[in-house]
Amino acid sequence: MGTGMVSTLLYGFPYEWSPLKYIAMGIALLNLLMFVVFLVLFIWRLVQYGDFFYILLHPQLSMPLGAVPMAFTTVITSMVTILASYEVAWMPTLALVLWCINIVFALLSCLAIPFLITSHQKHAFENVNATILLPVVPTVVASSAGAIVASVHSGTTAVAVVLISYALWAMGVGISLMLITFYVVRLILHKLPPPETIISVFIPLGPLGQSSYAIQLLGVQALRVFPDGLSQMTYLGEVLHSLGFFLGLLIWSLAIWWFTHAIYSVLYTRFCGPVPFNLGWWALIFPTGTFVSSSGELWDLTGYTFFRILASTITVGIVLLWIVVILGTIRYAWTGELFKPINTRHLEVHTYVEGEDVQSPEQRV
């Protein structure tokens, strides 16, 4: 997911430099390889241990399942962005098919896991962290991918993709804002997370930056497809285009607040003591990348140099962070910690039925 974001940012870097295009292509291929390999390993693990049910019901392990459709989205957007300039004949159809598959999994994540959170899983308010957003963000990410997929289509197909993307955007953004509010209350009452999970404070930046980026992209596509696609609504495209810029700017402004707060939080925690490396450090890459994407799109729409410089500067920082995190992950894998199996059957799994905690069959024995 983070690797795909780095590829996208480098390919669309605001200052043209042709070698960056080839570097981005190489990283995009690496992202595709990583997605396929880790997806196969994940499926193999589920078959090996047969614990998918327990993962779904676990209050922590179920949250990262939302990362799967988001990672898939980065594969689709990289493919469309890179291959569009080469006019590959089969690319638009393949992108549409993959996007349709992706929104199925995004909707499953957004609809099923929040239901399990409210019906079966047991959460303590003081232990809730920002990963609770992960199951609902995929619909927002899929909406931005929909705008990119729509850009290589026309006619009723493009109209349908744009309309579906708006619906996905509204669903994901609405729930995300509710959960962000919930998370802010948790921070106010119980303060910052421990050093081991402090990087997770960057996660809320993801839905904010991505929703700003997506609504701007959708506005651009609405202006292109709606005058012909919905002739009975003459000015709909122009209205949505203007709203896309305006809403994008407002949400981008909110993202600035969270970006600043997240930086302060990590620096304060590091000042108080060490922040150990773990896989949670990947939360630095994708959420921050969405903020850069939003800034870059604001530059495209306004032409203001401020957004161009901001997007370029943070992109450089993200690439450096990505190198640090991927090297740390390789070291983490070399020690064997990355591949250490988690036996979820011994973990406490709660379901709520008529006021009682109902545990897994193994726990009742």
Side-chain angles (χ1 to χ4, degrees), residues 39 46 48 50 125 170 190 196 207 232 249 290 346 358:
L39 181 62
L46 294 179
Q48 180 75 12
F125 188 46
H190 299 286
E196 293 77 11
Q232 66 274 29
L249 180 62
T290 65
H346 78 282
V358 181

Side-chain angles (χ1 to χ4, degrees), residues 40-337:
V40 170
L41 289 175
F42 178 62
I43 295 173
W44 175 84
R45 185 202 176 282
L46 294 179
V47 174
Q48 180 75 12
Y49 292 95
D51 58 356
F52 185 62
F53 172 78
Y54 299 96
I55 291 176
L56 281 177
L57 295 184
H58 194 270
Q60 281 82 44
L61 298 181
S62 59
M63 300 301 115
L65 291 175
V68 177
M70 285 192 282
F72 190 25
T73 301
T74 64
V75 173
I76 298 171
T77 54
S78 296
M79 180 187 69
V80 175
T81 303
I82 293 173
L83 296 183
S85 58
Y86 293 94
E87 298 182 354
V88 180
W90 47 263
M91 185 272 292
T93 302
L94 178 60
L96 180 62
V97 172
L98 294 178
W99 180 72
C100 290
I101 295 172
N102 185 52
I103 63 175
V104 170
F105 288 100
L107 286 172
L108 285 174
S109 174
C110 186
L111 297 175
I113 297 179
F115 171 74
L116 294 176
I117 291 173
T118 59
S119 65
H120 288 71
Q121 299 175 3
K122 185 175 182 179
H123 292 262
F125 188 46
E126 64 273 14
N127 295 330
V128 170
N129 60 44
T131 57
I132 199 171
L133 283 161
L134 293 179
V136 302
V137 179
T139 53
V140 182
V141 180
S143 69
S144 64
I148 295 173
V149 171
S151 67
V152 295
H153 287 273
S154 59
T156 57
T157 301
V159 171
V161 170
V162 170
L163 290 176
I164 293 171
S165 297
Y166 270 112
L168 293 171
W169 183 88
M171 179 187 298
V173 171
I175 303 172
S176 295
L177 291 177
M178 298 178 204
L179 292 177
I180 289 174
T181 303
F182 174 76
Y183 181 60
V184 170
V185 175
R186 178 251 175 254
L187 291 178
I188 292 173
L189 296 180
H190 299 286
K191 308 310 171 189
L192 296 175
E196 293 77 11
T197 59
I198 187 61
I199 301 299
S200 65
V201 296
F202 276 89
I203 292 178
L205 182 62
L208 295 176
Q210 193 70 24
S211 59
S212 173
Y213 177 57
I215 199 65
Q216 294 177 73
L217 287 181
L218 288 172
V220 172
Q221 294 306 312
L223 183 63
R224 181 179 70 89
V225 304
F226 281 156
D228 299 324
L230 292 175
S231 56
Q232 66 274 29
M233 301 181 185
T234 309
Y235 300 104
L236 180 61
E238 296 177 4
V239 171
L240 291 178
H241 183 254
S242 300
L243 280 176
F245 164 71
F246 185 66
L247 289 176
L249 180 62
L250 294 183
I251 301 174
W252 176 86
S253 303
L254 179 57
I256 285 183
W257 182 90
W258 197 278
F259 189 30
T260 306
H261 179 271
I263 293 174
Y264 286 166
S265 300
V266 173
L267 291 178
Y268 172 76
T269 303
R270 179 63 185 89
F271 177 78
C272 295
V275 178
F277 177 83
N278 54 55
L279 292 183
W281 279 40
W282 281 100
L284 287 166
I285 310 300
F286 187 84
T288 309
T290 65
F291 177 73
V292 174
S293 298
S294 174
S295 302
E297 190 63 24
L298 285 171
W299 171 64
D300 287 341
L301 293 177
T302 64
Y304 290 164
T305 306
F306 167 76
F307 294 116
R308 187 183 193 186
I309 295 175
L310 179 65
S312 303
T313 303
I314 302 179
T315 296
V316 173
I318 289 175
V319 172
L320 295 176
L321 282 173
W322 175 73
I323 294 172
V324 170
V325 173
I326 202 167
L327 290 177
T329 303
I330 292 172
R331 182 182 62 83
Y332 200 53
W334 184 260
T335 62
E337 290 296 320

